[in-house]
Amino acid sequence: MPLKNWLICIVQVNVFRNFCVVICSIALFLVVVQLITSVNISCMSPRVLWYVICGMTLADFVGGMVHWGADTWGSVDLTIVGPAFIRPFREHHIDPTAMTRHDYIETSGDICMLVTGPLLYQSYNLYHSYGDLQQDQFNSHCFWFTTIVYIMLTNQFHKWSHTHIGLPHWVDILQKYHLILPKHHHRIHHVSPHETYFCITTGWLNYPLEKLRFWSTLEFLINKFTGAVPRDDDFKWATKTE
């Protein structure tokens, strides 16, 4: 593809990412306002905290599945998916700190595109149940809202886990108490051949999934039924770029 066409594509992608971040931010704001204004404080239950924790855990699992899939299967040569989705994961293993030089839009713009729909749908449901939101419904909305927000911020948490200087103090606190992915925890994944600790949102599920041999069992089953070799292209890519 000529250089001019590449530049046009890059500009178009960046404009689209900016648009997605703006729309996602509006949808996020709407849901927050609707949740705050629809809840009866006197009827608040401590159970809502459990729903929030469950939402964070589900987000960690979803992020882990996506990360595992992109790290383990496919090739950078696949049409569209290869260069757009798989290649950044391959390059990340070679230069883990490259993502720290990306701004928020480049880091999270693609995910914002994916979560905007669910946020708008949640806002629509909250609008139609305004004034009649029961405690169980509120808990459910908190669960899904937490899940969506943590998925949306997964790449940002991942980026912070590779940022060793200049982080805000509150980010250090969140990492210290393992409310987001800590640096020392994620370091385990970056030991070659990058076959464990794929969860990069909070990292809560990494240890139990490793003890259950969850990822290795999935890889064994996929290899048995399809013949695909886990991380085969990752090894080739690392050799090719050395």
Side-chain angles (χ1 to χ4, degrees), residues 4-239:
K4 181 179 178 181
N5 290 346
W6 270 112
L7 292 174
I8 292 173
C9 287
I10 291 171
V11 170
Q12 289 175 338
V13 167
N14 287 336
V15 169
F16 185 64
R17 280 177 175 161
N18 277 273
F19 174 77
C20 290
V21 169
V22 170
I23 299 301
C24 184
S25 299
I26 294 172
L28 187 69
F29 175 77
L30 287 174
V31 174
V32 169
V33 171
Q34 288 170 311
L35 283 172
I36 292 173
T37 57
S38 63
V39 65
N40 185 342
I41 300 298
S42 63
C43 296
M44 281 287 288
S45 167
R47 281 197 306 164
V48 72
L49 181 60
W50 168 248
Y51 282 82
V52 169
I53 292 171
C54 288
M56 294 165 68
T57 305
L58 178 58
D60 197 39
F61 181 73
V62 171
M65 286 295 293
V66 173
H67 187 190
W68 168 75
D71 270 10
T72 309
W73 309 106
S75 165
V76 296
D77 298 321
L78 290 174
T79 305
I80 300 177
V81 175
F85 182 64
I86 296 176
R87 183 183 180 120
F89 285 87
R90 302 290 192 265
E91 292 178 334
H92 178 64
H93 290 161
I94 298 169
D95 184 7
T97 61
M99 68 184 307
T100 65
R101 299 185 287 274
H102 299 167
D103 59 20
Y104 177 77
I105 291 174
E106 188 172 359
T107 300
S108 301
D110 294 337
I111 302 182
C112 285
M113 173 185 66
L114 297 176
V115 302
T116 297
L119 279 172
L120 289 173
Y121 180 70
Q122 185 173 27
S123 177
Y124 171 83
N125 284 334
L126 283 166
Y127 174 79
H128 284 278
S129 59
Y130 186 80
D132 191 34
L133 194 64
Q134 303 301 313
Q135 182 62 54
D136 286 343
Q137 292 175 303
F138 178 75
N139 290 341
S140 177
H141 278 293
C142 286
F143 167 77
W144 287 114
F145 179 71
T146 303
T147 302
I148 293 168
V149 169
Y150 260 70
I151 288 174
M152 180 184 74
L153 294 174
T154 289
N155 275 354
Q156 186 63 46
F157 297 158
H158 185 197
K159 173 182 171 180
W160 283 336
S161 74
H162 288 288
T163 305
H164 299 287
I165 56 173
L167 282 177
H169 182 58
W170 61 270
V171 173
D172 289 328
I173 292 175
L174 291 176
Q175 289 182 338
K176 178 181 178 181
Y177 291 102
H178 216 142
L179 295 175
I180 63 176
L181 184 69
K183 298 180 182 68
H184 64 86
H185 182 92
H186 183 53
R187 198 174 296 134
I188 298 170
H189 171 72
H190 279 274
V191 176
S192 184
H194 316 288
E195 60 185 4
T196 187
Y197 277 49
F198 292 102
C199 298
I200 53 174
T201 306
T202 62
W204 293 350
L205 293 177
N206 282 320
Y207 183 77
L209 289 178
E210 182 64 19
K211 286 301 178 182
L212 291 170
R213 298 186 177 182
F214 179 78
W215 305 115
S216 58
T217 301
L218 277 183
E219 290 169 13
F220 171 79
L221 292 173
I222 291 173
N223 174 256
K224 182 176 179 62
F225 288 105
T226 69
V229 179
R231 285 169 294 280
D232 182 49
D233 185 69
D234 197 20
F235 296 132
K236 294 176 183 176
W237 176 253
T239 303

